[in-house]
Amino acid sequence: MKKNRNSFSGSMGFVLAAAGSAVGLGNIWRFPFLAARDGGGLFLLIYIILTVTFGFTLLITEVAIGRRSAQGPLTAYGYFNKKWKFLGLFSFIVPFIIYPYYCVIGGWVLKYLATYATFEGKAATADDYFTSFITAQWMPILFTAIFAAACFYIVYKGVEKGIEKYSRIIMPALILLVILICGYSLTITHTDANGVTRTGLEGAGVYFIPNFEGITLRKFLMVVLDAMGQLFYSLSIAMGIMVAYGSYMKKNVNLGKAVDRIEIFDTSIAILAGLMIIPAVYVFMGTEGMSAGPGLMFVALPKVFDSMGFAGNVLGLIFFIMVLFAAITSAVSILEATTVSVMDKFKWSRSKSVLAMASCGFILSLVVCLGYNQWYFEFTLPNGAVAQILDIFDYLSNNILMPITSILTCVLFGWIVKPRLLIGEMRLNGYPFRRKTLYIIMLRYIAPVLLFILLLGAFGLY
């Protein structure tokens, strides 16, 4: 590793920063929605199996690429094979596209946090509250700018004094808040207008107990693909992030053990996110409330909080503080992936690189914000979804570029460079790598096939 390269102070610094990246908005709103829709415990079981096989393979590969090359995603792939430098460009473009709209969503979270902090939670229950906010011209831009400024500052401060320092503060606080809300969620009871009483523990049953009703082979395969798609959000795979963070990992750290810890952190938070949201929504809105999808966090949950009276406003404040923490740690990692890429490619200073990337990101964030008012249009994507600018950014990055990047990574390190090079990195200092056989089979055969099937879905072919 280059002597002048920044690095995490040790294994825990890396794990907390990487887990902070992995634990983002996708865990908090997307995971509970998918779990509720896809048979509760059935989805959880499939997700956990995929995490320790498919997810582990892609995650440890990217971290090993970063540590072996000691370079950011833009140049790391060319280090192993010059003909494959283009793959580094893919790995750079993904976070470059994601960061602007992630800042916009972070601004939305900040707006809701401000609403509950000023005890205006009742206003957030109005059916048009969310729509009125995102279609306004200036207010979304203001909150986006505040969120982006916080991300810029942390990345500007560097790896150990910025990313690691704030991850060490934010991650424990986030975990504490999640556990606090989970505990409350399980204890609530509500009787609706029809005299039906529902409890949080019953909601937990809906979440954890597998529901096989209406399950066909096709439906089962769709659940598998949903769980696999969620892993990209949950583990920050194919975003260049883990390559960047891997490049900051010291050579004396047990790479396999560190990746295991990231998986445990991330999966635990994802499961707890479901446990804090699904029981609460079930108690006050029944199973119908859980069909809110991505609108769950900004539309359905404020109604749930309002049903709790004054305690609901306090819980809403705590909830959106927690969501803000998750959003910041993820957005910081996305910005860092592009920043270190520019630093390594052009030999720029950190301050110049982060200023360039944050500025480009903010300009594109303005485009995303204006996509809901001045530049509003509707576009039908190949998978049938009707999209605005934010949705198009999300579709290109998550549905197209990320699976393609991962497929090509499997081809490069499974067949061209060969797995033994990265396995050697994982075994550095004599550390064991007990999942070697599983890793090789997943990298060469199973992961590329699953990823190709996932990519077909993006084009609406099933």
Side-chain angles (χ1 to χ4, degrees):
M1 185 177 287
K2 299 171 186 176
K3 290 183 179 180
N4 63 346
R5 190 174 187 80
N6 286 320
S7 66
F8 293 113
S9 63
S11 177
M12 188 50 65
F14 166 76
V15 170
L16 286 174
S21 167
V23 179
L25 295 174
N27 282 51
I28 293 170
W29 62 260
R30 196 172 185 269
F31 187 93
F33 159 65
L34 290 176
R37 188 185 72 182
D38 289 346
L42 175 63
F43 175 85
L44 292 181
L45 179 61
I46 293 171
Y47 179 84
I48 291 170
I49 292 171
L50 285 174
T51 297
V52 299
T53 54
F54 173 81
F56 170 81
T57 300
L58 297 181
L59 180 59
I60 199 168
T61 297
E62 293 193 9
V63 176
I65 290 168
R67 191 168 77 168
R68 180 80 177 190
S69 66
Q71 294 182 39
L74 183 59
T75 54
Y77 292 89
Y79 169 88
F80 296 96
N81 189 309
K82 290 183 179 179
K83 292 181 180 179
W84 284 70
K85 287 193 293 186
F86 71 92
L87 187 50
L89 185 60
F90 279 26
S91 200
F92 171 80
I93 291 173
V94 169
F96 186 82
I97 293 174
I98 292 175
Y99 181 71
Y101 74 79
Y102 210 100
C103 282
V104 173
I105 299 173
W108 298 350
V109 173
L110 202 56
K111 162 65 176 176
Y112 273 71
L113 172 58
T115 299
Y116 281 93
T118 53
F119 296 96
E120 295 292 329
K122 183 76 176 176
T125 63
D127 290 336
D128 65 342
Y129 184 81
F130 178 62
T131 303
S132 297
F133 168 63
I134 65 172
T135 55
Q137 188 162 350
W138 298 111
M139 205 53 85
I141 293 174
L142 173 63
F143 282 102
T144 297
I146 296 170
F147 182 87
C151 296
F152 169 81
Y153 176 76
I154 294 172
V155 175
Y156 173 80
K157 294 295 287 184
V159 178
E160 193 171 341
K161 293 181 179 178
I163 296 167
E164 180 177 343
K165 177 183 176 182
Y166 289 96
S167 294
R168 284 182 179 273
I169 297 169
I170 290 174
M171 284 305 294
L174 188 150
I175 293 166
L176 183 63
L177 291 174
V178 169
I179 292 172
L180 178 68
I181 298 173
C182 280
Y184 185 84
S185 221
L186 292 173
T187 60
I188 53 180
T189 302
H190 177 69
T191 302
D192 64 20
N194 297 320
V196 177
T197 300
R198 289 183 291 267
T199 69
L201 287 175
E202 290 172 350
V206 171
Y207 179 44
F208 283 118
I209 298 171
N211 179 7
F212 295 100
E213 185 180 344
I215 288 291
T216 61
L217 178 60
R218 185 178 185 279
K219 173 64 176 174
F220 178 79
L221 291 174
M222 292 304 294
V223 174
V224 171
L225 291 171
D226 279 347
M228 187 167 59
Q230 176 62 25
L231 280 172
F232 279 95
Y233 288 91
S234 291
L235 296 177
S236 297
I237 296 167
M239 299 184 192
I241 295 167
M242 291 305 166
V243 175
Y245 279 9
S247 75
Y248 301 136
M249 181 190 280
K250 291 182 176 178
K251 290 289 188 179
N252 62 352
V253 172
N254 185 331
L255 195 152
K257 192 173 182 180
V259 169
D260 286 342
R261 286 175 177 172
I262 295 168
E263 287 186 308
I264 292 169
F265 256 109
D266 174 75
T267 305
S268 299
I269 293 293
I271 291 173
L272 287 172
L275 191 59
M276 71 180 178
I277 291 175
I278 290 177
V281 173
Y282 173 80
V283 165
F284 291 98
M285 304 179 75
T287 53
E288 298 79 13
M290 293 184 291
S291 63
L296 188 68
M297 186 163 68
F298 295 113
V299 179
L301 277 178
K303 296 181 188 298
V304 171
F305 294 141
D306 183 60
S307 301
M308 298 177 182
F310 178 77
N313 198 101
V314 175
L315 194 65
L317 175 61
I318 294 171
F319 175 80
F320 281 106
I321 289 173
M322 179 213 64
V323 176
L324 181 65
F325 285 173
I328 285 178
T329 53
S330 292
V332 160
S333 67
I334 298 168
L335 179 58
E336 177 63 24
T338 59
T339 297
V340 70
S341 290
V342 171
M343 289 170 65
D344 289 337
K345 177 68 175 177
F346 302 110
K347 310 304 178 188
W348 288 357
S349 66
R350 171 167 288 273
S351 55
K352 181 179 179 180
S353 300
V354 69
L355 182 61
M357 291 298 95
S359 299
C360 290
F362 184 66
I363 291 169
L364 288 174
S365 291
L366 297 180
V367 174
V368 173
C369 287
L370 293 172
Y372 287 102
N373 43 72
Q374 298 296 314
W375 296 343
Y376 180 84
F377 64 87
E378 293 185 354
F379 178 78
T380 303
L381 297 171
N383 61 7
V386 177
Q388 288 81 50
I389 293 176
L390 186 151
D391 305 307
I392 293 172
F393 278 26
D394 182 66
Y395 174 79
L396 288 173
S397 58
N398 288 282
N399 295 62
I400 304 295
L401 291 174
M402 285 164 62
I404 289 175
T405 301
S406 290
I407 290 170
L408 293 174
T409 299
C410 289
V411 172
L412 176 59
F413 292 96
W415 297 99
I416 298 172
V417 174
K418 301 294 185 353
R420 67 175 178 271
L421 183 67
L422 294 185
I423 290 172
E425 187 67 25
M426 297 163 198
R427 285 176 160 174
L428 215 58
N429 305 312
Y431 290 123
F433 183 51
R434 297 184 179 89
R435 288 191 262 182
K436 174 188 171 184
T437 303
L438 171 67
Y439 174 76
I440 293 172
I441 293 171
M442 288 296 302
L443 184 68
R444 283 188 154 183
Y445 307 104
I446 300 176
V449 172
L450 291 175
L451 288 162
F452 183 70
I453 294 171
L454 191 66
L455 185 61
L456 291 178
F459 292 104
L461 297 178
Y462 59 80

